[in-house]
Amino acid sequence: MSTSTKRKGNLFDPLNASDKPDAILRKLKVISEFASDMTSQNLDKESTKSILALLDNLTQNFIDDSVSDHPQLMLMLSCCLVDLIRILGTSNPQIIKKTNNIVSMVNETLQISNKLTDQAYLPQLFYLLESLDKAQISVALVTEKNVDLTKSFIEASLEAVDHLQNQPEIYAKFERLLGSLFDHASHQRLKDHQFQELLLPLLFTFNSKD
């Protein structure tokens, strides 16, 4: 295990779903703070195994209706999940299997963006978008099998853009993220109607802002 991981001791131990939301939020903040500086180059087999176990814990126990009444918890959970897949890499076979669940969680978070317009939440939202970009989520997301999920991601993102259009830095992050998604989609062997379904909402939204 890397030296930095050793110092954190039980950082990647599973979270208890029965804990109170505030306690879970505090632990997620610690994980997110530490994970933000990690890359795949920092990992050895033991730390990779620990992170995969934590990812299993989060996706199996926290991606459900139990967190839907806690916008800040949903936002922090999304940040942690995306950070973990960024660290492990979207080409990791075990990550590919989890990507759909994680993106679904991100979609739900973006869909409640009207509850995240408070200045206290904006840095975390900005960080989430930045992490999605760094994780190259479009590479894992845009496939023929995932067209419906990709559409949901685009729709959730555009809904968030609408709520946060007075936040230029966040808007710019959405524009970059969705532009990257479109670029990747244009190089995939999608059927014409599938590609158009992904393209049209993006063109309409961003062209209308010019």
Side-chain angles (χ1 to χ4, degrees), residues 52-72:
L52 281 169
L54 175 61
L55 194 58
D56 281 337
N57 169 243
L58 295 178
T59 55
Q60 291 171 10
N61 298 314
F62 293 94
I63 300 184
D64 56 32
D65 293 337
S66 64
V67 298
S68 59
D69 293 331
H70 304 279
Q72 189 177 12

Side-chain angles (χ1 to χ4, degrees), residues 9-207:
N10 63 351
L11 175 68
F12 295 122
D13 283 355
L15 277 69
N16 191 339
S18 64
D19 285 347
K20 293 182 179 180
D22 286 348
I24 296 171
L25 183 60
R26 285 195 297 272
K27 181 66 182 290
L28 289 174
K29 284 182 177 179
V30 173
I31 293 172
S32 180
E33 181 180 348
F34 184 59
S36 65
D37 294 326
M38 292 186 70
T39 68
S40 58
Q41 295 177 342
N42 303 133
L43 299 181
D44 55 22
K45 289 184 179 180
E46 188 176 350
S47 52
T48 298
K49 183 178 178 180
S50 296
I51 293 175
L52 281 169
L54 175 61
L55 194 58
D56 281 337
N57 169 243
L58 295 178
T59 55
Q60 291 171 10
N61 298 314
F62 293 94
I63 300 184
D64 56 32
D65 293 337
S66 64
V67 298
S68 59
D69 293 331
H70 304 279
Q72 189 177 12
L73 182 55
M74 288 181 67
L75 178 56
M76 186 54 68
L77 178 59
S78 293
C79 287
C80 286
L81 289 169
V82 173
D83 255 339
L84 295 178
I85 64 173
R86 174 189 58 75
I87 293 167
L88 295 170
T90 52
S91 61
N92 185 312
Q94 296 181 74
I95 294 301
I96 293 172
K97 295 177 182 178
K98 304 178 192 305
T99 299
N100 286 10
N101 284 340
I102 294 171
V103 172
S104 294
M105 180 68 196
V106 172
N107 288 350
E108 291 181 23
T109 302
L110 295 177
Q111 286 167 354
I112 61 162
S113 56
N114 62 311
K115 299 179 181 179
L116 300 172
T117 55
D118 188 286
Q119 289 293 326
Y121 299 147
L122 295 181
Q124 291 176 348
L125 184 56
F126 183 88
Y127 180 79
L128 172 60
L129 299 175
E130 195 171 50
S131 295
L132 285 165
D133 191 26
K134 289 180 179 178
Q136 296 184 311
I137 200 67
S138 60
V139 176
L141 187 58
V142 183
T143 66
E144 188 170 348
K145 293 181 179 179
N146 278 343
V147 168
D148 287 342
L149 183 62
T150 306
K151 284 171 60 180
S152 296
F153 177 75
I154 291 173
E155 289 167 359
S157 297
L158 295 180
E159 184 176 342
V161 166
D162 189 52
H163 291 134
L164 298 160
Q165 54 186 304
N166 63 336
Q167 301 292 332
E169 290 185 352
I170 289 182
Y171 177 84
K173 278 294 178 186
F174 271 115
E175 191 170 30
R176 175 181 171 84
L177 181 62
L178 293 174
S180 176
L181 188 150
F182 168 70
D183 287 343
H184 187 69
S186 66
H187 291 92
Q188 300 303 298
R189 295 182 177 180
L190 300 178
K191 296 176 182 178
D192 287 344
H193 75 277
Q194 292 176 326
F195 182 69
Q196 290 171 6
E197 288 175 359
L198 301 181
L199 170 64
L200 291 178
L202 296 176
L203 286 179
F204 176 81
T205 299
F206 291 111
N207 284 345

